[in-house]
Amino acid sequence: MSIRIGIMGYGNLGRGIECAIKQNDDMELVAVFTRRNPETVKILTPDVNVYSVDEAINKKDEIDVLILCGGSATDLPEQTPEYAKYFNVIDSFDTHAKIPEHFNNVNKVAKEYNHIGIISVGWDPGMFSLNRLYANAILSDGNDYTFWGKGVSQGHSDAIRRIEGVIDARQYTVPVDEAVMSVRNGENPTLSTRQKHTRECFVVVEDGADKSRIENEIKTMPNYFSDYDTTVNFISMEELLKNHSGIPHGGMVIRSGKTGWNSENNNIIEYSLKLDSNPEFTASVIAAYARAAYRLNKEGETGCKTVFDIAPRYIINKSYEEILGNLL
Amino acid sequence: MSIRIGIMGYGNLGRGIECAIKQNDDMELVAVFTRRNPETVKILTPDVNVYSVDEAINKKDEIDVLILCGGSATDLPEQTPEYAKYFNVIDSFDTHAKIPEHFNNVNKVAKEYNHIGIISVGWDPGMFSLNRLYANAILSDGNDYTFWGKGVSQGHSDAIRRIEGVIDARQYTVPVDEAVMSVRNGENPTLSTRQKHTRECFVVVEDGADKSRIENEIKTMPNYFSDYDTTVNFISMEELLKNHSGIPHGGMVIRSGKTGWNSENNNIIEYSLKLDSNPEFTASVIAAYARAAYRLNKEGETGCKTVFDIAPRYIINKSYEEILGNLL
């Protein structure tokens, strides 16, 4: 029997979940829920219905895991604990500083209602977190480095779009090669924000807009750009659509640590991602952990979980014999 | 209270375990067991005794986890099930084809005697296995690639040493750059053995030895060298000791997989290691999983486990609050 999945929210991530379900033959999409008028939302899977978000609770007996695809700022802090009353749930909550609070909120409800709620699944938080943990456990004397990119930052692109005179924009976060090389060489450098990443912006402006004002507003924008070396390229809408319509991303988690009686040896653990599609990859991680949510709940487990709590075998669609024989 | 560790076998791996225990303040070395005359074995930790292997069972109440540092060919198939009667045990059994059989042997005893036995811990099998599993679970439509090196292969070095006229030798396994680049570029190549790795040999021979015969014997040796492009360098003992006395190793596990409704996007997951000391790194992984063995057994778990069965949080010496707040 397939694991029956519901998707709450049909943006880039929701569509990515739909694609991931198609690739996993032990899963089946049974419903998509939207805040928009369901009749205006066209999905890819044949014979699956789109419902208003208000219908979700009525479908609780038809869904094994509800995947919440909303945003971390306002959607998930409300939705994940609320829907944990009715479903096993999973989200990609990524406001790092608020994870402990979100964990407690979800844990309370999920335990009370005998469901599993897995939070903060994706690649950062998610696979990057896992690799930080494994690498810290192994190399207890060392330094962690996380680099993001090259990839599109949605938040930074949005920030540029809010500037007067800007029609559209794409911002790439780019790791600085010299910094990455220094870490990989075991030099254990201390790196400032500016030394780790640069920011490349591709901006489409209105006819007659003051480009030098816009460039200056971007480069001096606090939190987003002022601490970085930023390059601004003004391009046409045609060029933006042609060369910058994808949502690639990636990055690296590196731990450089010492071993030996006198800490005389250095060792580098690196986990890196190079993704053509950030939302599809995030969705693929979530789909794998949705499998774990289903299996753990079947075994009687309840409460909030993170990637740290889940034994790896729960996330893969292969028998234990297969993984012992072929992957170990 | 510290986790009390015993080490069975004091070669490179056993010494690595000793160093790892020094770096982990929740662990304490309580005994080293050896098949040699204990009086001839000098260890690094002050005030810890070396005992004959025959004394091990008498120490069972003083040891929480016994780490087995023997070889996979003959030691571990006997030792791990045997000592699982008296201890929580952990080994680095690395004969991939025999893992299922070893698992069953250890599982039976460990369950009967209420202990945990974790097998095949290290980096391959071990961390590489974990990364194969995670990457396969996430990218279900894709290809796996494992490259080893650049690093010293003990088995291949030994094979060279058995050739008549050879005094000593070091063999490095080296991944072929073009192959690695092709995989990283998402080209999903089909690679022959020869296309993936080359073998570099540094050989010290007796005075007057027939170098061309030795070189030919190396390059044509079945299983070890005949399927590879092999380079043989004859060097002096001084040069061998000066430039080739370390035991570095490393490698990469890469999965290249498709996402998207029509598999239109490619994504690369890469896990790589660059290790100054292969045995010390292996030992550091084992020490982390010894922690898990102790904790799981305290929770009442028994039987054989692999890295696939163990939730990541069990291997790290940090509180759950710390990992949620700082690593997720």
Side-chain angles (χ1 to χ4, degrees):
Chain A
M1 216 185 77
S2 294
I3 303 169
R4 301 167 303 169
I5 304 286
I7 295 174
M8 171 69 65
Y10 194 74
N12 286 328
L13 183 59
R15 212 168 359 250
I17 300 287
E18 187 180 19
C19 296
I21 293 169
K22 184 189 179 197
Q23 288 188 318
N24 284 284
D25 59 18
D26 62 335
M27 295 188 181
E28 168 190 8
L29 179 63
V30 298
V32 170
F33 303 101
T34 181
R35 281 186 293 222
R36 290 174 274 170
N37 176 350
E39 289 175 17
T40 67
V41 176
K42 297 282 164 261
I43 67 170
L44 301 164
T45 313
D47 306 322
V48 171
N49 289 331
V50 180
Y51 300 96
S52 162
V53 65
D54 308 321
E55 295 288 311
I57 296 171
N58 301 332
K59 301 279 172 193
K60 72 184 173 60
D61 297 328
E62 297 164 38
I63 290 171
D64 295 311
V65 184
L66 182 67
I67 298 177
L68 302 169
C69 300
S72 297
T74 56
D75 298 332
L76 298 176
E78 304 255 314
Q79 288 180 342
T80 314
E82 174 61 19
Y83 287 109
K85 293 180 184 167
Y86 311 100
F87 301 93
N88 296 310
V89 292
I90 182 165
D91 76 22
S92 59
F93 185 79
D94 67 358
T95 312
H96 288 262
K98 295 190 174 169
I99 286 174
E101 179 188 342
H102 189 54
F103 181 93
N104 288 332
N105 293 340
V106 175
N107 194 42
K108 189 158 167 282
V109 179
K111 277 210 183 304
E112 185 178 342
Y113 289 83
N114 294 317
H115 289 125
I116 289 278
I118 309 182
I119 62 163
S120 302
V121 181
W123 58 275
D124 196 3
M127 297 312 295
F128 273 20
S129 322
L130 264 183
N131 278 280
R132 282 188 283 264
L133 188 148
Y134 278 118
N136 272 269
I138 296 166
L139 296 174
S140 48
D141 175 14
N143 295 305
D144 288 316
Y145 297 90
T146 301
F147 293 96
W148 294 274
K150 182 179 178 176
V152 173
S153 165
Q154 222 58 64
H156 288 79
S157 301
D158 288 344
I160 299 172
R161 285 188 202 103
R162 287 191 292 265
I163 293 173
E164 198 191 317
V166 172
I167 298 174
D168 203 349
R170 221 59 101 242
Q171 194 270 184
Y172 295 91
T173 306
V174 186
V176 175
D177 273 344
E178 293 73 33
V180 176
M181 286 304 155
S182 172
V183 172
R184 284 185 182 151
N185 287 336
E187 295 164 15
N188 287 289
T190 302
L191 297 166
S192 67
T193 298
R194 191 178 299 273
Q195 287 171 314
K196 289 182 70 183
H197 298 93
T198 57
R199 300 200 174 278
E200 278 180 23
C201 312
F202 295 86
V203 185
V204 182
V205 296
E206 292 166 2
D207 278 351
D210 181 349
K211 290 181 181 174
S212 68
R213 172 192 51 83
I214 291 171
E215 178 165 346
N216 187 56
E217 279 193 43
I218 294 172
K219 290 184 170 177
T220 59
M221 197 185 296
N223 302 319
Y224 287 90
F225 294 99
S226 61
D227 293 339
Y228 297 85
D229 289 336
T230 301
T231 317
V232 177
N233 306 282
F234 293 100
I235 61 172
S236 67
M237 185 56 96
E238 291 68 38
E239 194 181 335
L240 188 85
L241 295 174
K242 180 164 168 255
N243 297 331
H244 304 283
S245 61
I247 319 177
H249 219 313
M252 294 145 260
V253 169
I254 306 176
R255 187 161 175 88
S256 177
K258 302 292 180 189
T259 58
W261 191 252
N262 297 306
S263 305
E264 63 271 30
N265 288 312
N266 201 72
N267 304 278
I268 307 280
I269 305 174
E270 174 169 346
Y271 179 81
S272 73
L273 297 174
K274 201 170 76 180
L275 312 173
D276 279 357
S277 171
N278 180 0
E280 287 171 8
F281 185 81
T282 301
S284 298
V285 180
I286 293 173
Y289 277 91
R291 178 178 292 123
Y294 171 79
R295 291 175 173 177
L296 287 167
N297 193 241
K298 282 271 173 214
E299 292 183 5
E301 294 254 4
T302 65
C304 189
K305 308 280 176 190
T306 70
V307 294
F308 296 155
D309 301 295
I310 295 170
R313 70 181 163 88
Y314 284 100
I315 75 166
I316 194 164
N317 181 24
K318 290 183 194 294
S319 71
Y320 197 68
E321 287 66 34
E322 280 179 280
I323 62 176
L324 264 200
N326 301 327
L327 295 177
L328 195 64
Chain B
M1 217 186 75
S2 293
I3 303 169
R4 300 167 304 170
I5 303 287
I7 295 175
M8 171 68 65
Y10 194 74
N12 285 328
L13 183 60
R15 213 168 359 250
I17 300 286
E18 187 181 21
C19 296
I21 292 169
K22 185 189 181 197
Q23 289 188 318
N24 284 285
D25 59 17
D26 63 336
M27 296 187 181
E28 170 191 6
L29 179 63
V30 298
V32 170
F33 303 101
T34 181
R35 279 185 294 220
R36 290 176 273 169
N37 176 349
E39 289 174 16
T40 67
V41 176
K42 297 280 165 263
I43 67 170
L44 301 164
T45 313
D47 305 322
V48 171
N49 289 331
V50 180
Y51 301 96
S52 162
V53 64
D54 307 321
E55 295 289 312
I57 295 171
N58 301 332
K59 301 278 172 195
K60 71 184 175 61
D61 295 330
E62 297 163 38
I63 290 172
D64 295 312
V65 184
L66 181 67
I67 299 178
L68 302 170
C69 299
S72 297
T74 56
D75 298 332
L76 299 175
E78 305 254 314
Q79 289 181 342
T80 314
E82 175 61 19
Y83 288 109
K85 292 179 185 166
Y86 312 100
F87 301 94
N88 296 310
V89 292
I90 182 164
D91 77 22
S92 59
F93 184 79
D94 67 358
T95 311
H96 288 262
K98 294 190 174 169
I99 287 174
E101 180 188 343
H102 188 56
F103 181 93
N104 288 331
N105 293 341
V106 175
N107 194 42
K108 189 159 167 284
V109 179
K111 277 209 184 303
E112 186 179 342
Y113 290 84
N114 293 317
H115 290 125
I116 290 279
I118 309 183
I119 63 163
S120 302
V121 181
W123 58 274
D124 195 3
M127 297 312 295
F128 273 20
S129 322
L130 264 183
N131 277 280
R132 282 188 282 264
L133 188 149
Y134 278 118
N136 272 268
I138 295 166
L139 295 174
S140 47
D141 176 14
N143 295 306
D144 288 317
Y145 298 90
T146 301
F147 294 95
W148 293 275
K150 181 180 177 175
V152 173
S153 164
Q154 222 59 62
H156 288 79
S157 301
D158 288 344
I160 299 172
R161 285 188 202 104
R162 287 191 292 265
I163 293 172
E164 197 191 318
V166 171
I167 299 174
D168 203 350
R170 221 58 101 242
Q171 193 271 182
Y172 295 91
T173 305
V174 185
V176 175
D177 273 344
E178 295 72 31
V180 176
M181 286 304 155
S182 172
V183 172
R184 285 185 180 151
N185 288 336
E187 294 163 13
N188 286 287
T190 302
L191 297 167
S192 68
T193 298
R194 192 177 298 273
Q195 287 171 315
K196 290 180 71 183
H197 298 93
T198 57
R199 300 200 174 278
E200 278 181 22
C201 313
F202 295 86
V203 185
V204 182
V205 295
E206 293 166 1
D207 278 351
D210 181 349
K211 291 183 181 173
S212 68
R213 172 190 54 82
I214 290 172
E215 178 165 346
N216 187 57
E217 278 193 45
I218 295 173
K219 289 184 170 178
T220 59
M221 196 186 295
N223 301 319
Y224 287 90
F225 293 100
S226 62
D227 293 339
Y228 298 85
D229 290 337
T230 301
T231 316
V232 178
N233 305 282
F234 293 100
I235 60 173
S236 66
M237 186 56 99
E238 291 68 37
E239 194 181 335
L240 188 86
L241 294 174
K242 180 164 169 252
N243 298 329
H244 304 282
S245 62
I247 319 177
H249 218 315
M252 295 145 258
V253 169
I254 306 177
R255 187 162 175 89
S256 177
K258 302 293 180 186
T259 58
W261 192 251
N262 297 306
S263 303
E264 63 271 31
N265 288 312
N266 202 71
N267 305 277
I268 307 281
I269 305 174
E270 175 170 345
Y271 179 81
S272 73
L273 297 174
K274 201 170 75 180
L275 312 174
D276 278 356
S277 170
N278 181 0
E280 287 172 8
F281 186 81
T282 301
S284 299
V285 179
I286 292 173
Y289 277 91
R291 179 179 292 124
Y294 172 78
R295 291 176 174 176
L296 287 166
N297 192 241
K298 281 271 173 216
E299 291 183 6
E301 294 254 4
T302 65
C304 189
K305 308 282 176 190
T306 70
V307 292
F308 297 155
D309 300 295
I310 294 169
R313 69 180 164 89
Y314 285 99
I315 74 166
I316 194 164
N317 182 23
K318 289 183 196 290
S319 71
Y320 198 68
E321 288 64 37
E322 280 179 280
I323 62 176
L324 264 198
N326 301 329
L327 295 177
L328 195 65

